[in-house]
Amino acid sequence: MIRKNISVDEILTQFNNRSKLSSLISKYVQLSPRGNSFVGKCPFHNEKTPSFNVNDDKGLFYCFGCKVGGNAITFISKYKNLSFSESIKFLADMLGIEISYENKEQLKKKNNKLFVYKLINDFFKKSLEKNKNALNYANLRIKNKQLISDFEIGFCPDDNELINFLKSEGLSIEEIQETDLLIKNRKNQFFGRFKDRLIFPIFSFSNKVVGFGGREINENSRIKYINSQESQIFKKSELLFGFKQNSEVIRKEKKIILVEGYMDVISLAQSEIRFAVASLGTTLSKTQIQKMWNYSDTPLICFDGDDAGRKSSKNIALKCLEFLVPGKSFKFIKLPEGFDPDTFLKKYSKKKFFELMQSSYNLSDLVWQIILESIDKPTPENIALLDQKIKLLSSKISNRIVSDEYFKFFIKKKNDYLWNLNLKKKKTVHTTEKVQELINEKLVLVFLIFEIELTRHFNEEVSEAILGNKDLNSFKDALFKRNIIEKKKIDLDYLVNNTEYSKQILAEIESLNKTHLKGLNIEEKRVLLRHILDNLKIPILKKEAAVIKKKILEAEDDEKQSAQVNKYNEILKEIKIIQNKELE
């Protein structure tokens, strides 16, 4: 039977990734924040003035009174009076930490690989300085030279140079193969995984190099980025690229932005935004979620402004529901179509990016959007489906308090959605009635824009026509002047892009052209315009008839009254002719 040993560093790393020391100790000691630390009365000796300090950044506690200090294991061991192994088991049971047990051979191999990766990282950095092409590429993409040093960017030369270096450090061929830097091809030959690529070292939360990312610089490969493959030390789900370099600002500002790739992190750093990290993929693990929550109550997600980026954001939104607790959430930055953080900052500014941050979406709003997108139309069956989705996604949240609040939030959203649908229907009916009332007026505008030559044959009638709506009448007069008198031929595109006329009216005019004029021959259009102009006379004639009627009633002279009656009858006759007239 192989004797198992526990890596204390690994246990503490997992604990610090998933929790805070202050969260653990506050279960037993009343702590108060003071600067970047917490203070309280020491549980290991009696004192009146608090001298017990807890530092989450370092994962350590210390009492300035009795001089007792240590880490999470030390605290549990001393406070609970437990042995080392019992303390570890207590932590595992209480926090759900999966403790990794490794035999001595595995531990040795792991530590050797970490040591070798440090050597390789130094070699890559020196190789960048020697390779003019790679250095030019790095300087072109990364204007701030200090960032090349901060992120320890390097270059992987050809296979022979890499192998010779590793041999010079005492590695055998078998050990070189285990570094994951060489890949076997179909001919069973080895070639460099990162050959001729810009290298980004990837650090663990313990600040040890555990893997590499390589960026193609000669555009000879169809694969732009390559990462180390999953291994004993390289586990993407437990890493955040850029955390090592940006951790100081992240801790100070309590902000963190998750982006997709290395260059996004570095591009943000070039714009002096030093609180970005990358997940080395488009998903998030529980470890990564909780690590970010350790430093910010509401981290921001900023993925690319394309279909893949939006899909990944939605997947993350659904993924993190399970882990929500009071006071912890995420917000989502929406980039314009086709942009990533790197290209956005190159075209726009840091100020514009901060504006996007300010207008970011709440997690709850994005999840509601996902729910709403699951139905096509608000039929009774689909409304029932909404209810099912609301129950399902709310129930995914483990914390009962947060789950209940999300359920109430979604129900309110659903009720608001249905209310707005009904309101929209009422507005649509009202708008349709309004359009029908003004259809003749708008058709005159259609002729003035789309049928200019035909309209010239009705110059006098169009000029004298008075539209019932003042805005439409002013629009008619302006079009008549530009298109008929001045012959400038102002079309719809010009009106949309260069005038302040209502976009809704212009859209209705375009629609009326398609529904009423399209398919008619020139004679049919002529008859239609004549009919429209005649109909526009009716309100004017009725108004004139009302005035004459009043004069008839007020007339004192029979002769004058008779003349007014004749006028009145003539107007009524004209109105009747227009109303009874059919299209020729």
Side-chain angles (χ1 to χ4, degrees):
M1 180 177 178
I2 299 175
R3 181 174 176 269
K4 302 266 178 130
N5 291 283
I6 301 171
S7 167
V8 178
D9 287 342
E10 184 69 18
I11 295 167
L12 291 174
T13 297
Q14 289 193 42
F15 171 78
N16 290 327
N17 286 347
R18 302 186 183 196
S19 185
K20 293 181 180 179
L21 183 58
S22 61
S23 299
L24 170 65
I25 294 179
S26 63
K27 295 178 184 292
Y28 312 103
V29 180
Q30 186 174 345
L31 298 175
S32 301
R34 181 179 292 175
N36 293 327
S37 302
F38 292 84
V39 296
K41 291 183 180 180
C42 181
F44 306 123
H45 80 285
N46 292 324
E47 62 178 3
K48 293 182 179 180
T49 304
S51 61
F52 183 80
N53 277 254
V54 181
N55 189 306
D56 284 329
D57 292 344
K58 297 178 180 178
L60 298 172
F61 72 90
Y62 183 76
C63 177
F64 290 94
C66 65
K67 312 302 181 187
V68 171
N71 52 41
I73 298 172
T74 313
F75 180 84
I76 290 297
S77 179
K78 189 164 181 63
Y79 189 88
K80 294 283 186 179
N81 195 25
L82 300 176
S83 67
F84 175 77
S85 58
E86 288 172 334
S87 299
I88 291 171
K89 187 177 185 305
F90 182 90
L91 278 179
D93 292 342
M94 185 178 72
L95 300 172
I97 297 175
E98 294 181 7
I99 301 172
S100 57
Y101 291 85
E102 298 169 325
N103 60 43
K104 288 183 178 180
E105 187 62 32
Q106 287 175 321
L107 283 172
K108 182 180 178 182
K109 186 180 290 187
K110 177 179 176 179
N111 290 330
N112 284 344
K113 195 169 186 179
L114 289 171
F115 176 74
V116 170
Y117 269 28
K118 185 181 183 305
L119 292 176
I120 294 170
N121 188 45
D122 291 337
F123 169 73
F124 284 156
K125 287 190 288 184
K126 291 176 182 177
S127 297
L128 177 63
E129 296 172 4
K130 296 176 183 178
N131 190 291
K132 186 177 179 180
N133 180 46
L135 190 58
N136 286 340
Y137 180 88
N139 289 332
L140 184 66
R141 293 294 303 272
I142 306 169
K143 304 297 184 184
N144 185 343
K145 306 301 182 289
Q146 183 59 43
L147 293 178
I148 295 176
S149 174
D150 289 351
F151 285 87
E152 301 189 35
I153 296 169
F155 173 72
C156 181
D158 64 52
D159 302 343
N160 289 333
E161 193 172 342
L162 175 61
I163 291 171
N164 289 337
F165 165 75
L166 294 173
K167 283 182 177 179
S168 71
E169 293 294 332
L171 272 70
S172 65
I173 293 296
E174 291 76 17
E175 289 172 325
I176 291 173
Q177 291 174 10
E178 290 176 359
T179 62
D180 185 42
L181 298 177
L182 300 173
I183 308 172
K184 270 188 180 181
N185 60 21
R186 293 177 181 176
K187 296 179 180 179
N188 211 31
Q189 297 172 327
F190 284 98
F191 67 96
R193 178 185 293 275
F194 299 109
K195 178 183 175 182
D196 292 332
R197 288 177 179 268
L198 205 64
I199 299 297
F200 302 85
I202 300 167
F203 293 84
S204 68
F205 293 129
S206 301
N207 292 338
K208 295 176 181 176
V209 179
V210 294
F212 300 97
R215 207 287 184 192
E216 169 67 29
I217 64 173
N218 296 317
E219 310 302 332
N220 294 328
S221 174
R222 289 177 298 174
I223 305 173
K224 188 181 289 186
Y225 289 97
I226 292 179
N227 286 330
S228 294
Q229 63 181 357
E230 290 281 314
S231 68
Q232 185 184 14
I233 65 170
F234 184 76
K235 298 170 182 170
K236 287 199 295 184
S237 63
E238 297 179 2
L239 303 168
L240 289 171
F241 176 82
F243 183 81
K244 173 183 180 291
Q245 293 83 0
N246 292 336
S247 59
E248 185 178 340
V249 177
I250 289 171
R251 289 186 177 102
K252 182 180 178 181
E253 298 195 15
K254 293 181 171 55
K255 290 180 183 176
I256 191 164
I257 297 179
L258 181 77
V259 293
E260 288 187 34
Y262 326 117
M263 284 309 302
D264 294 325
V265 173
I266 294 170
S267 182
L268 287 166
Q270 287 196 102
S271 297
E272 298 181 346
I273 302 173
R274 295 299 296 263
F275 44 85
V277 296
S279 57
L280 307 179
T282 53
T283 186
L284 273 183
S285 68
K286 180 180 180 181
T287 298
Q288 291 167 323
I289 289 170
Q290 292 182 331
K291 185 68 176 180
M292 288 193 289
W293 276 342
N294 282 347
Y295 297 95
S296 174
D297 290 338
T298 312
L300 291 151
I301 309 292
C302 184
F303 282 178
D304 296 352
D306 54 19
D307 289 340
R310 286 187 287 271
K311 183 179 179 181
S312 298
S313 292
K314 290 175 182 178
N315 288 339
I316 285 178
L318 297 176
K319 177 77 177 286
C320 65
L321 283 177
E322 178 186 354
F323 311 112
L324 290 177
V325 293
K328 301 290 185 182
S329 189
F330 282 92
K331 297 191 83 171
F332 295 80
I333 297 172
K334 185 178 181 181
L335 289 172
E337 180 67 37
F339 282 88
D340 56 34
D342 182 32
T343 54
F344 182 87
L345 284 164
K346 283 177 179 175
K347 182 169 183 179
Y348 299 106
S349 63
K350 178 181 177 180
K351 181 183 177 183
K352 287 288 184 184
F353 189 80
F354 279 156
E355 288 175 3
L356 288 181
M357 288 173 57
Q358 290 296 322
S359 59
S360 55
Y361 292 88
N362 290 322
L363 170 64
S364 53
D365 289 322
L366 181 56
V367 176
W368 169 248
Q369 181 184 328
I370 294 169
I371 293 173
L372 207 54
E373 287 173 353
S374 66
I375 66 168
D376 294 326
K377 295 180 180 179
T379 61
E381 298 86 352
N382 283 336
I383 298 302
L385 182 61
L386 276 184
D387 290 331
Q388 281 188 345
K389 290 273 186 181
I390 288 171
K391 289 178 183 177
L392 175 65
L393 293 179
S394 299
S395 66
K396 283 186 66 176
I397 303 172
S398 300
N399 185 282
R400 180 50 51 195
I401 297 173
V402 179
S403 177
D404 290 344
E405 290 300 324
Y406 260 72
F407 181 78
K408 288 188 281 187
F409 173 83
F410 290 146
I411 290 297
K412 183 180 184 304
K413 280 286 188 180
K414 187 196 85 168
N415 292 337
D416 290 344
Y417 167 69
L418 295 176
W419 172 267
N420 289 331
L421 275 179
N422 291 330
L423 192 63
K424 187 176 180 181
K425 286 179 182 177
K426 291 177 182 178
K427 284 183 178 179
T428 301
V429 171
H430 175 74
T431 303
T432 302
E433 291 172 351
K434 191 71 176 174
V435 169
Q436 292 299 325
E437 287 176 11
L438 302 174
I439 193 166
N440 284 324
E441 283 89 339
K442 290 174 183 174
L443 281 171
V444 171
L445 302 180
V446 170
F447 275 95
L448 280 167
I449 295 171
F450 295 100
E451 298 292 339
I452 298 173
E453 293 305 318
L454 175 60
T455 308
R456 292 188 197 282
H457 296 290
F458 297 85
N459 276 0
E460 187 176 345
E461 292 97 323
V462 173
S463 175
E464 293 177 354
I466 300 174
L467 308 189
N469 181 283
K470 289 183 179 180
D471 291 335
L472 294 181
N473 195 62
S474 297
F475 194 4
K476 185 267 296 184
D477 290 342
L479 284 173
F480 186 83
K481 179 182 178 183
R482 300 291 292 276
N483 283 353
I484 304 300
I485 297 175
E486 297 176 357
K487 299 182 180 181
K488 291 188 177 180
K489 293 187 178 180
I490 303 300
D491 61 15
L492 190 67
D493 288 339
Y494 179 88
L495 292 169
V496 170
N497 297 314
N498 298 283
T499 67
E500 295 182 358
Y501 291 116
S502 165
K503 297 295 187 290
Q504 181 182 342
I505 293 296
L506 294 174
E508 289 175 11
I509 288 171
E510 183 178 23
S511 178
L512 285 171
N513 180 51
K514 293 176 181 177
T515 57
H516 286 66
L517 270 66
K518 190 176 181 181
L520 298 182
N521 60 37
I522 190 66
E523 181 58 22
E524 289 169 333
K525 290 176 183 177
R526 185 193 67 77
V527 173
L528 176 60
L529 180 55
R530 164 57 63 197
H531 186 66
I532 290 168
L533 292 171
D534 285 343
N535 280 333
L536 287 173
K537 290 180 182 178
I538 292 177
I540 299 171
L541 291 171
K542 284 183 176 180
K543 188 175 181 180
E544 188 178 345
V547 172
I548 294 174
K549 185 177 181 180
K550 185 178 180 181
K551 288 181 179 180
I552 292 172
L553 295 173
E554 294 174 350
E556 297 177 356
D557 186 290
D558 290 343
E559 187 177 341
K560 288 182 179 180
Q561 188 180 58
S562 178
Q564 294 295 336
V565 168
N566 289 335
K567 282 185 181 181
Y568 182 75
N569 289 332
E570 287 294 326
I571 292 172
L572 292 183
K573 183 179 178 181
E574 188 174 355
I575 291 173
K576 189 174 182 179
I577 290 171
I578 293 172
Q579 289 177 332
N580 293 333
K581 191 176 183 181
E582 295 182 352
L583 289 177
E584 300 171 12

